[in-house]
């Protein structure tokens, strides 16, 4: 639990990835110039949390190469605490994109034996602090070996005193969805909060409906399940009681990570994190999801995974009417572009 009167802090554990694109303006017939942008789902979430004003610590393994320095600089510039992160001899993870004339990307990944996946038990034990109310993780760091198993053990220990949040953030081009499906029951047993996109759902439980998926993951142990539906909003299920919220978000990079950050920020600010969500109600969930949707929408308003800062949230964030049901039986809004689809197609894995 947080100390009385102290801000609620969140720790994020996971990878950083360099997303590289060809830069036509600086390229020639004999030279290809590349532009590298720092990314990675967990790193994006940490940046968004810190910019919103939540004290945030990022636990990453930073390569000693030039990309590792880029990752450190971006996180530090956003106010993220890097205490507990590791300086690693292994290379950074790279995603090299080839964009066609429509802007669609084909990726080549350089991830084998990268620094992000080499966590050891000793390294994770050295990161322990008692002031965080939430530990958030997911994506590739939670599924790529040899570090993934050590991270799971770390979560099992941490969940005794913090809220555990997991975003699977499935990356099928790098890891077969079957690997995520195999580990998901274990993750649900460790997690208080499971947040994911509708695209993730299609890969993790093929053919399952939203309600069926929520109930499956509740049965496995997750108390709060949040599924983002792109332009159709988000569905949240707390112990089987559902709420849907609209979102003005559009299709772009980084919206999913910003949604997760907005959700955790709002829950932390309300004093709902720091344990097993025993003080959390459906109204609190609806409020947090509406705030998260607003944060995602602001991320969508600028190029790239560039989440907003707290001062950009002065305008009212609630739009549309919340709809509460215990079974989520009312129809969702008509489909429109899903911002998480672009995150899967373009965001670095």
């Amino acid at each position: 639990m947080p100390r009385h009167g102290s801000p609620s802090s969140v720790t994020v554990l996971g990878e950083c990835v360099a997303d590289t694109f060809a830069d036509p303006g600086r390229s020639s017939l004999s030279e290809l110039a590349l532009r590298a942008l720092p990314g990675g789902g967990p790193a994006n979430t940490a940046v968004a949390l810190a910019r919103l004003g939540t004290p945030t610590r990022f636990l990453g393994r930073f390569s000693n190469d030039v990309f590792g320095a880029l990752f450190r600089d971006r996180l530090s510039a956003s106010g993220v605490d890097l205490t507990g992160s590791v300086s690693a001899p292994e290379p950074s993870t790279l995603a090299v994109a080839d964009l066609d004339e429509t802007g669609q990307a084909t990726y080549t990944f350089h991830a084998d034996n990268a620094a992000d996946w080499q966590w050891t038990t000793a390294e994770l034990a050295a990161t322990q602090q008692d002031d965080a109310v939430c530990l958030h993780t997911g994506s590739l760091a939670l599924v790529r070996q040899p570090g993934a198993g050590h991270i799971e053990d770390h979560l099992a220990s941490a969940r005794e005193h913090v809220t555990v949040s997991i975003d699977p953030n499935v990356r099928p081009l790098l890891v077969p969805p079957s690997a995520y499906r195999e580990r998901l029951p274990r993750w649900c047993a460790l997690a208080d909060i499971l947040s994911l996109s509708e695209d993730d759902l299609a890969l993790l439980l093929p053919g399952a409906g939203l309600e069926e998926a929520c109930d499956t993951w509740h049965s496995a142990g997750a108390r709060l399940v949040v599924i983002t539906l792109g332009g159709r909003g988000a569905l949240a299920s707390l112990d089987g009681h559902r709420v849907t919220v609209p979102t003005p978000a559009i299709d772009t990079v980084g919206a999913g990570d910003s949604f997760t950050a907005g959700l955790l920020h709002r829950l932390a600010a309300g004093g709902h994190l720091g344990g097993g969500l025993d003080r959390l109600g459906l109204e609190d969930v609806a409020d947090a999801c509406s705030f998260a949707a607003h944060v995602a929408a602001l991320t969508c308003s600028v190029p790239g995974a560039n989440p907003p800062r707290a001062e950009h949230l002065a305008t009212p964030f609630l739009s549309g009417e919340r709809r509460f049901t215990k079974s989520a039986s009312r129809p969702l809004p008509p489909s429109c572009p899903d911002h998480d689809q672009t995150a899967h197609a373009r965001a670095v894995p």
Side-chain angles (χ1 to χ4, degrees):
M1 297 295 294
R3 300 183 183 92
H4 179 70
S6 64
S8 298
S9 64
V10 173
T11 297
V12 179
L13 169 60
E15 71 267 14
C16 295
V17 181
D19 197 6
T20 60
F21 299 85
D23 187 344
R26 295 190 297 116
S27 298
S28 66
L29 292 177
S30 59
E31 179 180 1
L32 176 64
L34 295 177
R35 181 186 180 196
L37 300 177
N44 290 341
T45 298
V47 166
L49 272 166
R51 291 184 180 184
L52 289 171
T54 294
T56 304
R57 190 166 67 120
F58 182 74
L59 303 180
R61 299 186 87 257
F62 295 101
S63 173
N64 294 322
D65 62 24
V66 65
F67 299 108
L70 177 68
F71 301 148
R72 283 183 178 272
D73 288 346
R74 183 214 185 189
L75 287 155
S76 295
S78 293
V80 177
D81 177 9
L82 299 183
T83 302
S85 289
V86 175
S87 293
E90 301 89 4
S92 295
T93 304
L94 305 182
V96 182
D98 181 11
L99 297 178
D100 63 20
E101 61 276 3
T102 68
Q104 295 298 309
T106 301
Y107 273 101
T108 302
F109 296 98
H110 303 270
D112 290 346
N113 301 312
D116 300 283
W117 333 124
Q118 311 304 319
W119 282 104
T120 66
T121 299
E123 287 173 344
L124 289 166
T127 69
Q128 296 278 13
Q129 285 189 355
D130 61 3
D131 57 348
V133 296
C134 178
L135 174 59
H136 173 76
T137 189
S139 197
L140 292 167
L142 197 53
V143 74
R144 288 185 70 94
Q145 301 295 349
H150 299 308
I151 292 176
E152 287 184 351
D153 292 340
H154 182 69
L155 295 179
S157 175
R159 75 186 309 266
E160 297 179 5
H161 57 276
V162 302
T163 301
V164 172
S165 168
I166 291 178
D167 177 0
N169 205 8
V170 182
R171 295 297 181 226
L173 295 180
L174 273 176
V175 177
S178 59
Y180 292 87
R181 290 194 288 268
E182 179 182 352
R183 302 308 306 161
L184 188 58
R186 168 69 169 164
W187 297 345
C188 288
L190 295 171
D192 302 291
I193 301 171
L194 180 71
S195 59
L196 66 162
S197 71
E198 193 173 24
D199 287 341
D200 289 333
L201 165 60
L203 294 169
L204 294 170
L205 286 178
L210 297 174
E211 295 181 34
E212 178 186 355
C214 290
D215 291 339
T216 296
W217 295 327
H218 286 319
S219 296
R223 290 200 60 194
L224 175 60
V225 178
V226 180
I227 304 174
T228 58
L229 309 172
R232 292 160 49 224
L235 167 69
S237 182
L238 178 64
D239 295 328
H241 302 286
R242 332 266 203 225
V243 58
T244 60
V245 298
T247 174
I250 59 174
D251 192 317
T252 195
V253 174
D257 303 324
S258 291
F259 184 98
T260 298
L263 177 72
L264 296 179
H265 169 82
R266 195 71 166 184
L267 292 176
H272 301 297
L273 303 182
L277 306 180
D278 293 334
R279 300 181 305 278
L280 187 65
L282 199 60
E283 283 276 3
D284 304 313
V285 172
D287 172 76
C289 286
S290 295
F291 179 85
H294 182 58
V295 174
L298 289 177
T299 301
C300 292
S301 68
V302 295
N306 188 20
R309 298 183 182 272
E311 58 267 26
H312 300 148
L313 298 172
T315 57
F317 66 86
L318 296 178
S319 73
E321 179 185 0
R322 298 177 192 157
R323 290 166 295 122
F324 299 85
T325 73
K326 289 190 176 182
S327 64
S329 58
R330 297 188 188 180
L332 291 168
S335 178
C336 60
D338 184 347
H339 60 266
D340 287 315
Q341 291 177 352
T342 299
H344 278 267
R346 291 189 55 202
V348 291

